[in-house]
């Protein structure tokens, strides 16, 4: 069941528009792709495209896709698009068909729920599939409408019920490119975006660079390791080879936490006792296969920072080879970078604070949060403290989430007195207290994800705990957390994960909303 590009070509003038002409030959593929383009033409709409029959089968969805199964979206079947439309993002010039701005709103691959040939399913008028995208995940149905009043090309697109369904999901919260994090305005009328488009399309240097990258890809697809015997932990003897081996052995548990998040590297080229530095901009020597995301920068000399994004094992291994012992990740993801998907309160014990005191304060924080309907999780930071975290529903701004963590920290301070400090100036913090850092919520601020290594003696890693572990800590006589936290280090954690899996697998599944919690907090906490 082959598609046809006849109508697509007839509608367009390729000497004017930068849309692809459809020169790419269809290929056999185990994972057919999908793309959803947000398109501001005469009317705003979303173009939903599935790779099938050698083309991108396409539907225009006026209200956009939804993760809410209650939303049945009208989807108008339109002409087949060429496969290379998959990457198209830019401006279709005035006077041309579909004139306006286009961003790659979401992309990825899909699998069929029923049948084996997607083109045949579509020809029959119904296709059920599972999307593996950045915004859209899980099972969906596209079905042709029947009945007297429906137009010939009218279909419905809707989310089927599964773990990815979200009744609170709102397309208005998701207005950026999943590829470049740009808004429609940013691909549109500003000179910088025009330059970006011309860089890609016309600049001979860019084309040359792209060819070089392509040529290198086959020979340079595996990271080259250097100085594997270099000792990074002098007291323990752990080497850079040990660090690389560790990160590779936990990759399948760590990568889901890092995926789609810009990273800041904390590099220790001469080990944990040598000098170290934080690095946001991807190093100039990064191999061509290392993924980066460009984020406009308001501070410093650069107008933008190209952050590394680590989605795969070879990038993880390459980072470890740089001596990047600790990877610090954003709490938002590409595609919704102004909206954190994780909430964090950092429990930071001050000098003289025992493990028991730290644990008691953290348990009280849990109790206060549970009393207002939230379900927090807890982990060791891998350093001296504990992290209390939970997953957020989509759509909150950094300011909203930070106001919530501030409110929570003040509540804890009012019920726990001197056991807590909120003092920002380190010297003024009371000895033996726990500093609650509620302000780690902001665009560009980072946290340490589970299984990330810390530059401390014994090479500890951040480890997800059960609350019963913290209850045990509350009965401990240890002067601090270090001996306890070092049980989870680069030597022990790979075997633990293989045996038990990620202890947080369940804990971070639920997307928690703050509205009800805030209402309850206003009653209980004031
Ligand atoms: Mn369109």
């Amino acid at each position: 069941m082959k598609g046809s590009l006849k109508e697509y070509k007839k509608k367009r003038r390729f000497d004017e528009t930068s849309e692809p002409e459809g020169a790419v030959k269809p290929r056999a593929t185990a994972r057919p792709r999908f793309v959803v383009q947000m398109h501001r033409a005469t009317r705003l709409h979303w173009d939903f495209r599935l790779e099938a029959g050698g083309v991108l089968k396409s539907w225009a969805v006026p209200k956009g896709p939804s993760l809410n199964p209650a939303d049945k979206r009208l989807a108008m079947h339109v002409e087949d698009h060429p496969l290379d439309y998959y990457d198209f993002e830019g401006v279709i010039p005035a006077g041309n068909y579909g004139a306006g701005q286009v961003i790659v709103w979401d992309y990825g691959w899909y699998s069929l729920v029923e049948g084996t040939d997607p083109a045949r399913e579509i020809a029959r008028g119904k296709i059920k599939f599972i999307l593996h995208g950045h915004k859209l995940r899980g099972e969906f149905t596209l079905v042709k409408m029947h009945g007297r009043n429906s137009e010939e090309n009218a279909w419905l697109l809707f989310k089927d019920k599964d773990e990815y369904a979200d009744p609170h999901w709102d397309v208005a919260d998701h207005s950026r490119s999943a590829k470049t994090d740009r808004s429609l305005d940013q691909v549109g009328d500003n000179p910088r975006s025009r330059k970006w488009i011309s860089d890609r399309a016309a600049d001979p240097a860019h084309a040359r660079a792209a060819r070089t990258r392509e040529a290198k890809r086959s020979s340079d697809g595996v990271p080259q390791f250097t100085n594997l015997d270099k000792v990074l932990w002098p007291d323990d003897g752990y080497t850079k080879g040990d660090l690389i081996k560790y990160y590779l052995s936990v990759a399948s548990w760590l990568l889901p936490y890092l995926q789609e998040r810009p990273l800041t590297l904390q590099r220790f080229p001469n080990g944990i006792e040598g000098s170290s530095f934080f690095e946001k901009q991807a190093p100039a020597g990064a191999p061509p296969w290392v993924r980066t995301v460009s984020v406009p920068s308001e501070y410093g000399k650069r107008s933008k920072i190209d952050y590394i994004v680590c989605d795969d094992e070879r990038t993880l291994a390459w980072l470890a080879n740089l001596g990047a012992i600790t990877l610090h990740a954003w709490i938002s993801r590409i595609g919704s970078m102004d909206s954190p998907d994780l909430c964090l309160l950092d429990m930071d014990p001050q000098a003289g604070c025992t493990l028991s005191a730290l644990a008691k304060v953290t348990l009280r924080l849990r109790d206060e949060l549970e009393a207002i309907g939230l379900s927090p999780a807890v982990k060791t930071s891998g350093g001296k403290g504990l992290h209390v975290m939970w997953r957020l529903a989509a759509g909150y701004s950094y300011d909203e989430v930070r106001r919530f963590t501030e409110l929570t920290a003040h509540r804890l301070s009012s019920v726990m007195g001197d056991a807590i400090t909120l003092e920002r100036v380190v010297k003024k913090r009371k000895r033996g207290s726990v500093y609650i850092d509620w302000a780690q919520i902001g665009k560009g601020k980072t946290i340490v994800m589970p299984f990330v290594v810390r530059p401390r003696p014994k090479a500890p890693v951040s480890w997800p705990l059960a609350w019963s572990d913290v209850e045990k800590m509350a009965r401990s006589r240890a002067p601090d957390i270090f001996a306890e936290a070092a049980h989870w280090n680069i030597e022990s954690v790979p075997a633990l994960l293989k045996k038990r899996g990620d202890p947080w697998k369940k804990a971070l599944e639920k997307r928690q909303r703050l509205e009800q919690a805030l209402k309850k907090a206003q009653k209980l906490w004031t």
Side-chain angles (χ1 to χ4, degrees), residues 78-117:
V78 297
E79 79 273 15
D80 295 345
H81 278 52
L83 292 179
D84 38 0
Y85 215 91
Y86 183 74
D87 289 315
F88 178 70
E89 181 167 302
V91 178
I92 301 173
N96 284 267
Y97 180 73
Q101 299 88 359
V102 177
I103 54 172
V104 175
W105 184 82
D106 198 18
Y107 66 101
W109 57 282
Y110 73 95
S111 47
L112 283 178
V113 177
E114 292 165 0
T116 50
D117 175 7

Side-chain angles (χ1 to χ4, degrees), residues 362-401:
T362 307
L363 289 169
R364 181 63 189 257
L365 172 60
R366 172 199 64 181
D367 294 344
E368 294 289 339
L369 290 168
E370 286 183 349
I372 59 168
L374 294 168
S375 314
V378 62
K379 69 180 180 71
T380 66
S381 68
K384 60 182 175 161
L386 291 170
H387 289 162
V388 173
M389 275 171 71
W390 63 95
R391 189 171 171 202
L392 290 167
Y396 296 113
S397 70
Y398 276 108
D399 284 345
E400 285 171 318
V401 176

Side-chain angles (χ1 to χ4, degrees), residues 269-422:
N270 296 305
I272 65 168
E273 285 169 13
S275 62
S276 68
F277 58 100
F278 284 88
E279 193 169 45
K280 291 183 175 181
Q281 171 67 30
W289 41 261
V290 168
R291 183 178 169 202
T292 60
V293 60
S294 192
V295 180
S297 166
E298 285 153 39
Y299 310 101
K301 287 178 214 143
R302 295 174 183 278
S303 63
K304 65 176 177 69
I305 296 170
D306 303 303
Y307 286 90
I308 289 167
V309 182
C310 181
D311 290 334
D312 55 25
E313 287 183 13
R314 63 182 175 177
T315 304
L316 198 55
W318 172 75
L319 290 170
N321 187 60
L322 292 179
I325 291 176
T326 308
L327 309 172
H328 300 263
W330 283 34
I331 55 172
S332 64
R333 295 180 187 246
I334 296 168
S336 52
M337 293 216 278
D338 291 315
S339 183
D341 65 338
L342 294 170
C343 192
L344 170 85
L345 286 148
D346 181 8
M347 310 299 276
D348 183 8
Q350 301 304 296
C353 178
T354 61
L355 175 56
S356 167
L358 169 66
K360 281 175 181 157
V361 166
T362 307
L363 289 169
R364 181 63 189 257
L365 172 60
R366 172 199 64 181
D367 294 344
E368 294 289 339
L369 290 168
E370 286 183 349
I372 59 168
L374 294 168
S375 314
V378 62
K379 69 180 180 71
T380 66
S381 68
K384 60 182 175 161
L386 291 170
H387 289 162
V388 173
M389 275 171 71
W390 63 95
R391 189 171 171 202
L392 290 167
Y396 296 113
S397 70
Y398 276 108
D399 284 345
E400 285 171 318
V401 176
R402 193 170 47 241
R403 276 198 295 272
F404 182 82
T405 55
E406 183 179 10
L407 181 75
T408 308
H410 279 99
R411 164 64 177 178
L412 216 60
S413 170
S414 79
V415 293
M416 299 224 62
D418 280 351
I420 299 285
T421 179
L422 303 180

Side-chain angles (χ1 to χ4, degrees), residues 26-46:
R27 61 198 169 87
T29 168
R31 286 181 166 191
R33 295 172 295 176
F34 84 93
V35 61
V36 183
Q37 273 135 338
M38 190 180 183
H39 183 183
R40 186 162 58 199
T42 317
R43 284 204 187 93
L44 178 68
H45 62 275
W46 282 255

